[in-house]
Amino acid sequence: MADALPTIGAPPDAVYVAAPGYAADLEAEIVARGERLLARHADLFFVQGSPGPAAWAQNTWLRPEALAVTSIGEAARALRARQRNWHLHALVQHRRAQLVVDKLPPIRFRPLSFPTDPPVAPLGAWTLLDRDHLLLSTECSSPFPDGQVPFVEDRVQPPNRAYLKLWEALTLARGRPGPGTRCLDLGAAPGGWSWVCASLGAEVVSIDRAALAPQVLATGRVAHRCGDAFGLGAEQVGEVQWILSDLAAYPARLLELARYWADARPKANMIFTIKLQGPPDPEAYRAFLAIPGSRVMHLSHNKHELTWFRLKDGGPSEAACG
Ligand SMILES: C[S@@+](CC[C@H](N)C(=O)[O-])C[C@H]1O[C@@H](n2cnc3c(N)ncnc32)[C@H](O)[C@@H]1O
């Protein structure tokens, strides 16, 4: 595929911003979804036939428009005329693009203090294709710049940094466990996810072959079982409103586990990490999308893994759906 920018007059119907480091996974996904890749430039993929956000896109530009602009002022006016908030995804003409930014209303991106909801103000994205051509999108899948969700981190209480994945997943879910709810945490050790649920006031049943960190047990809200998560039956757990898994497991095995719990607890919200290995394999996670109500996306705190959601309210609009 040529590393060329698309010609003006034929704007793509979506632009994907690849999750950093996972452009090859995104490219394989585009092929598997039957989309036409018009061009790629750095981490931006210009496509036709997009059915919506892609799982390996950290952000999807949903309404790209290409404009000819003769000056910096004209570019800034074109952006301001459409909406207030814009994020520059610079590809080329960095200095010129920065001069356009200087003419836009200021915008501050602050790290989130969890728990909180994502911003509701639309955030557009734009880039200069060359000196005189602007590509913009007023509508993007993510309300965060390039889909990156930064948090004010807690460096004291959680036993590891895995809690950031669940903070991001729950932020995008626009819902979370709380007092009066029970969570099941599969593959929980050392306990970052269980700590998140307990710190929100929920009760947690966790299972792992390994032990949990003392500070997680000290919350008094986590009942830990040492054992094989694949051997745990719903009747041993009782009613749960949230089922979480960050298990280290092959995708095919995890899919069986997801199907089992989705059937056993049809009303529960489910969030599972799908850990991927080796070369891109879109089928490994597309099978999860066949579970009714599913969505899949790469969180900005995911590494070579995707997050599968099956939520009562439909799930994050940022995510790919079946
Ligand atoms: C990435 S870690 C989970 C981290 C955890 N979410 C946290 O926040 O601390 C993956 C865990 O899966 C557990 N695991 C792998 N296979 C398992 C199995 N069959 N049954 C129970 N736990 C398993 C491992 O022991 C490991 O603790």
Side-chain angles (χ1 to χ4, degrees):
M1 176 54 55
D3 191 24
L5 297 170
T7 52
I8 285 311
D13 64 18
V15 175
Y16 299 137
V17 183
Y22 302 111
D25 294 88
L26 176 59
E27 191 156 351
E29 180 181 9
I30 290 167
V31 172
R33 299 202 319 171
E35 297 164 60
R36 185 159 164 245
L37 181 55
L38 298 175
R40 172 185 172 185
H41 191 82
D43 59 347
L44 294 190
F45 288 70
F46 300 76
V47 297
Q48 269 181 353
S50 165
W56 286 104
Q58 207 60 62
N59 192 16
T60 300
W61 301 9
L62 296 162
R63 291 167 67 88
E65 278 178 73
L67 299 178
V69 283
T70 53
S71 68
I72 291 161
E74 191 184 349
R77 277 192 298 281
L79 292 165
R80 278 203 312 258
R82 283 164 174 76
Q83 65 191 31
R84 184 190 187 281
N85 295 339
W86 290 97
H87 170 64
L88 163 66
H89 187 98
L91 288 179
V92 291
Q93 298 280 328
H94 294 263
R95 191 171 144 60
R96 193 169 174 80
Q98 188 53 47
L99 292 170
V100 176
V101 170
D102 294 345
K103 290 186 175 294
L104 296 175
I107 172 166
R108 274 227 200 116
F109 300 110
R110 288 199 190 89
L112 302 183
S113 291
F114 183 84
T116 189
D117 292 326
V120 288
L123 178 64
W126 68 280
T127 193
L128 284 179
L129 297 175
D130 58 29
R131 194 179 180 285
D132 302 317
H133 293 99
L134 184 65
L135 185 74
L136 63 89
S137 180
T138 50
E139 209 181 307
C140 293
S141 62
S142 176
F144 297 96
D146 287 337
Q148 298 293 328
V149 187
F151 288 104
V152 178
E153 296 191 21
D154 184 334
R155 297 181 193 275
V156 178
Q157 299 183 73
N160 58 7
R161 300 192 81 239
Y163 74 98
L164 289 166
K165 289 192 279 190
L166 190 57
W167 273 11
E168 183 175 353
L170 294 174
T171 301
L172 298 179
R174 291 146 176 98
R176 46 193 171 254
T181 56
R182 288 184 84 229
C183 306
L184 171 62
D185 187 5
L186 302 161
W193 286 28
S194 291
W195 171 81
V196 169
C197 298
S199 66
L200 290 167
E203 299 298 317
V204 186
V205 176
S206 66
I207 183 160
D208 201 297
R209 293 199 184 105
L212 295 193
Q215 71 267 35
V216 179
L217 296 172
T219 61
R221 294 208 173 92
V222 183
H224 186 58
R225 302 178 190 205
C226 266
D228 181 5
F230 290 93
L232 186 71
E235 68 291 345
Q236 295 168 269
V237 174
E239 280 311 312
V240 282
Q241 289 74 42
W242 291 83
I243 304 173
L244 312 170
S245 169
D246 193 24
L247 260 173
Y250 289 112
R253 230 179 146 212
L254 191 75
L255 177 63
E256 283 172 31
L257 196 69
R259 284 184 177 141
Y260 169 77
W261 285 103
D263 281 350
R265 293 289 177 266
K267 292 190 179 150
N269 293 299
M270 299 177 70
I271 299 176
F272 280 35
T273 308
I274 309 170
K275 305 201 184 239
L276 298 151
Q277 288 175 328
D281 176 12
E283 296 318 313
Y285 58 87
R286 278 161 57 89
F288 282 79
L289 289 172
I291 299 175
S294 294
R295 287 180 180 255
V296 172
M297 69 180 290
H298 186 268
L299 301 175
S300 60
H301 290 95
N302 278 146
K303 297 199 170 83
H304 195 202
E305 50 192 23
L306 293 170
T307 298
W308 171 73
F309 294 85
R310 197 278 310 257
L311 301 181
K312 273 193 303 197
D313 297 339
S317 54
E318 292 84 351
C321 51

